[in-house]
Amino acid sequence: MSITSTTEIVLPGVVEPAGLLVQARDLPAPAAGQVVLRMEATGVSFAEQQMRVGKYYDQPSFPFVPGYDVVGTVVGTGPGVDRGLRGKRFAAVTKIGGWASRLIVEAADLVPVPDDIDAAVAVAVVLNGVTAWQMLYRAAKVKRGDTIVVLGANGGVGSTLVQLARHAGIRVIGTASARHHDAVRELGAVPVDYRDPAMYNKIHELAPEGVDAVFDHVGGPTVHDSWRLLRRGGALISYGSAATKDEPGNASLPVLKVFGRLMIWNALPNGRRAGFYNFWAGKRLRPAVFRARLAEDLTQVLRLVAAGALTPHIAARFPLAEASAALALAESRTVLGKVVIIAEQ
């Protein structure tokens, strides 16, 4: 049996991006139900930024290999897996492990990726696309003619939310720094400067009767201002706590505080809804349903990419060995779209 080697990026502990390690090792043979995936592209998301400082909810103990999502080609199969999968391209949401030249993935987690979609383009909508799609249609349940607010409209999830909403005939108000306002306008949203202390007042002026949904990854104290933007029947979807990323202390506490506040608001008899979006909700209790839903939603997103209705914004592409630079750029908050790590050429 031939030995498969892999090159991995290891997060050894709470370090600066430059502290990431590059290591080579031999992969074990895939077990029953598993495949070996040759990475073509993997993403840099906010999750990895939080993991770097030990602030991501339920992250594993250090050291580990980051990498939330990946697109690649199956090059090996374990017992019970159709050998016909070899040579075919798939996407998977791995949570960790994607920053590697080869990795072992559960075959049940694979979602087909059309050959005519570039791997970097595809990976830019795996985590971001599924998150945006599910928040729009499964959580907020938006519809044509609605008005929504997207905080961080220039980011990976934010820019995807804007495009999906505009494609569905929904008006979007998007927050971003002033340098990204032209790009946000090109996406079809009305930009508002998130550095402006009067940002929420500006949004109220644009939608004096309130909005139908707010998508808030910031968390912290301003989540109350997001709640106040809603009209009756509207929904606040919180999906992060970026405002507290660099605060010391328990990594789970900021998320739990936001979650608790949302649950209280959701119980109020005022016709508005609030919830915290968790990508992994339901996987432990109903794994088959979770996987089917993920595959259905990602397939819908990839169809929009293939049709030209959704254009993922790739901020930059870095080879695997330069993962430290990729993470540093993603954390700089100066980019539009997603930073992507690609296989060595």
Side-chain angles (χ1 to χ4, degrees):
M1 179 181 295
S2 62
I3 297 176
T4 300
S5 61
T6 184
T7 299
E8 300 174 322
I9 306 300
V10 178
L11 181 57
V14 178
V15 297
E16 294 300 315
L20 293 174
L21 304 177
V22 181
Q23 76 172 19
R25 70 179 180 95
D26 293 335
L27 279 179
Q34 296 180 332
V35 303
V36 178
L37 197 69
R38 185 182 67 235
M39 184 271 287
E40 295 177 25
T42 181
V44 182
S45 67
F46 186 68
E48 285 91 23
Q49 299 173 41
Q50 291 182 302
M51 289 179 186
R52 181 186 67 77
V53 293
K55 300 287 287 185
Y56 186 80
Y57 178 73
D58 199 31
Q59 73 181 68
S61 301
F62 297 115
F64 62 90
V65 177
Y68 220 97
D69 48 12
V70 62
V71 168
T73 299
V74 172
V75 293
T77 53
V81 178
D82 181 5
R83 291 173 62 89
L85 296 182
R86 294 190 182 192
K88 295 182 178 179
R89 300 172 74 220
F90 295 92
V93 182
T94 53
K95 194 172 186 178
I96 60 170
W99 293 5
S101 61
R102 287 173 174 78
L103 62 151
I104 292 177
V105 178
E106 295 294 323
D109 291 331
L110 298 175
V111 179
V113 175
D115 290 335
D116 57 351
I117 298 180
D118 177 76
V121 171
V123 85
V125 296
V126 177
L127 177 60
N128 291 349
V130 172
T131 296
W133 183 276
Q134 292 184 349
M135 288 196 300
L136 279 169
Y137 296 113
R138 295 187 184 274
K141 297 180 171 59
V142 295
K143 61 185 183 301
R144 181 174 295 275
D146 282 353
T147 296
I148 68 172
V149 173
V150 175
L151 302 189
N154 62 298
V157 173
S159 60
T160 306
L161 273 167
V162 173
Q163 292 185 76
L164 290 177
R166 293 298 298 137
H167 178 69
I170 295 163
R171 181 191 180 209
V172 182
I173 301 168
T175 73
S177 62
R179 66 175 170 270
H180 292 308
H181 281 193
D182 286 344
V184 171
R185 287 190 190 93
E186 289 179 8
L187 292 175
V190 178
V192 176
D193 190 350
Y194 80 86
R195 299 180 188 274
D196 187 342
M199 181 189 84
Y200 281 97
N201 290 334
K202 297 286 181 63
I203 296 174
H204 276 294
E205 292 173 4
L206 291 168
E209 296 181 1
V211 301
D212 298 284
V214 179
F215 300 91
D216 186 329
H217 71 296
V218 179
T222 60
V223 73
H224 185 264
D225 295 305
S226 292
W227 171 251
R228 292 176 58 212
L229 291 174
L230 298 175
R231 62 162 56 111
R232 187 173 183 83
L236 168 61
I237 309 299
S238 175
Y239 64 105
S241 186
T244 61
K245 179 174 78 75
D246 297 323
E247 291 182 4
N250 188 296
S252 304
L253 189 57
V255 173
L256 293 175
K257 283 183 177 179
V258 171
F259 183 80
R261 183 177 297 178
L262 296 174
M263 293 304 97
I264 291 172
W265 289 342
N266 199 47
L268 296 176
N270 56 19
R272 294 179 289 177
R273 295 181 290 118
F276 192 90
Y277 171 79
N278 178 6
F279 183 95
W280 300 100
K283 183 173 184 181
R284 290 182 180 178
L285 296 178
R286 305 171 68 193
V289 173
F290 171 86
R291 284 168 166 148
R293 183 180 60 191
L294 190 157
E296 176 185 344
D297 295 344
L298 180 53
T299 299
Q300 293 277 15
V301 170
L302 288 171
R303 284 174 181 164
L304 291 176
V305 172
L310 173 62
T311 303
H313 286 260
I314 299 175
R317 307 181 190 215
F318 289 86
L320 182 64
E322 297 178 21
S324 292
L327 183 57
L329 178 62
E331 292 194 17
S332 71
R333 300 182 182 179
T334 63
V335 298
L336 175 69
K338 191 174 181 82
V339 176
V340 175
I341 295 170
I342 58 175
E344 305 286 347
Q345 300 300 314

